[in-house]
Amino acid sequence: MKNQKIIIALDGYASTGKSTQAKNIAKKLDYIYIDSGAMYRAVTLYAIRKNILDESKIKILIKSLDDINIEFIRNNDVQKIYLNGKEVENDIRKSIVNSNVSRLAMIPEVRNFLLSKQRGYGKNKGLVMDGRDIGTVVFPNAECKFFFIATQEVRAKRRHLEQYKKGNLETYDQVLKNIVERDRIDSNRSLNPLKKSSDAIEIDVSDLTENEVFNKIWEHISKKIN
């Protein structure tokens, strides 16, 4: 069957360009794009705003999950995330969210809450989703799976530049420290740790341009849809 719709999963470490490539692929295929990490960030932002992020208030957060509504809305080819009806695209990228999102993502109830929503997006296929456990947990039967890696220093430089352009003045050393800590938490959590699916294609993006990464991905995807 020509041009059959599939699910494409992009996993990997923080700041490896997963979201950029996922957006590029979704645009080319006219697929739905979902940034699963943004969903965890939105829940983290909600907890910060409600002052229920501390360990002592986690039970309150868990009871509040049903009050959290996360939507992805596209306008003029630009997709943004909305939390309870308000656009929070920039707010979820702030340093306070960066510093807490991995810890919150360790909570089983939060993961299960978002897992159900993430799987719902793929019921009709035609989906590109990036994150940490898309190919291993969310869509283990995805037709195309990729796993991005890069050195921590390269990722910190990319994240630092990205944040600087948005007005976040964290130093490079602060960003690097956060990257190292997120790697530690993501890779060692007991529930759905960051790991490469056995059938995922690993791509080291450390020395590749955005176009080179895209071409590598597209080479494999084109074989699955044609």
Side-chain angles (χ1 to χ4, degrees):
M1 182 184 296
K2 293 290 183 181
N3 297 320
Q4 61 178 337
K5 286 191 174 183
I6 64 173
I7 291 176
I8 301 167
L10 285 81
D11 289 308
Y13 290 90
S15 300
T16 49
K18 300 185 301 296
S19 294
T20 297
Q21 296 301 334
K23 290 174 186 176
N24 291 341
I25 292 297
K27 185 175 181 179
K28 185 175 181 68
L29 292 171
D30 195 23
Y31 275 18
I32 296 170
Y33 162 62
I34 298 296
D35 177 355
S36 72
M39 299 176 75
Y40 283 98
R41 287 173 171 273
V43 175
T44 305
L45 180 64
Y46 176 89
I48 292 168
R49 288 178 171 178
K50 293 292 185 179
N51 193 28
I52 53 175
L53 188 63
D54 294 343
E55 292 287 344
S56 61
K57 298 180 180 178
I58 292 302
K59 289 184 179 179
I60 300 176
L61 171 60
I62 292 170
K63 289 181 180 180
S64 301
L65 290 174
D66 287 337
D67 296 329
I68 300 175
N69 181 41
I70 299 171
E71 298 175 286
F72 291 92
I73 299 176
R74 183 185 297 179
N75 187 16
N76 295 326
D77 271 349
V78 177
Q79 180 170 289
K80 295 185 177 181
I81 187 170
Y82 286 70
L83 172 62
N84 290 342
K86 295 184 178 181
E87 188 254 302
V88 292
E89 190 67 36
N90 290 329
D91 291 340
I92 65 169
R93 310 292 173 183
K94 291 182 177 178
S95 59
I96 189 171
V97 176
N98 292 343
S99 300
N100 287 285
V101 63
S102 289
R103 180 172 63 83
L104 182 141
M106 296 171 65
I107 301 170
E109 291 85 354
V110 171
R111 298 198 72 82
N112 289 333
F113 170 71
L114 293 179
L115 175 60
S116 175
K117 294 183 177 298
Q118 290 160 4
R119 284 179 172 164
Y121 288 115
K123 60 184 179 182
N124 295 318
K125 299 205 171 184
L127 173 72
V128 185
M129 187 177 291
D130 69 275
R132 302 288 195 280
D133 61 354
I134 310 306
T136 53
V137 177
V138 184
F139 294 114
N141 296 317
E143 289 85 353
C144 265
K145 300 180 185 180
F146 300 95
F147 191 87
F148 286 14
I149 64 171
T151 67
Q152 291 176 328
E153 291 76 16
V154 164
R155 291 185 284 132
K157 287 178 182 177
R158 289 180 178 179
R159 172 61 62 83
H160 181 247
L161 179 60
E162 177 185 279
Q163 292 187 166
Y164 181 79
K165 289 179 178 178
K166 293 181 178 180
N168 187 327
L169 300 181
E170 271 190 306
T171 67
Y172 166 78
D173 287 340
Q174 288 173 316
V175 174
L176 178 59
K177 182 179 179 181
N178 181 256
I179 289 282
V180 171
E181 179 64 7
R182 286 188 66 184
D183 285 355
R184 185 190 67 78
I185 294 174
D186 289 344
S187 299
N188 293 289
R189 63 174 177 246
S190 58
L191 183 65
N192 304 336
L194 170 65
K195 65 178 181 179
K196 176 179 171 291
S197 174
S198 60
D199 56 347
I201 297 164
E202 184 174 282
I203 299 178
D204 188 337
V205 304
S206 298
D207 299 314
L208 299 179
T209 66
E210 184 178 319
N211 284 339
E212 288 172 336
V213 176
F214 180 87
N215 290 335
K216 280 181 174 287
I217 296 172
W218 184 249
E219 179 182 353
H220 296 283
I221 293 173
S222 59
K223 295 175 183 176
K224 294 288 185 178
I225 61 175
N226 295 316

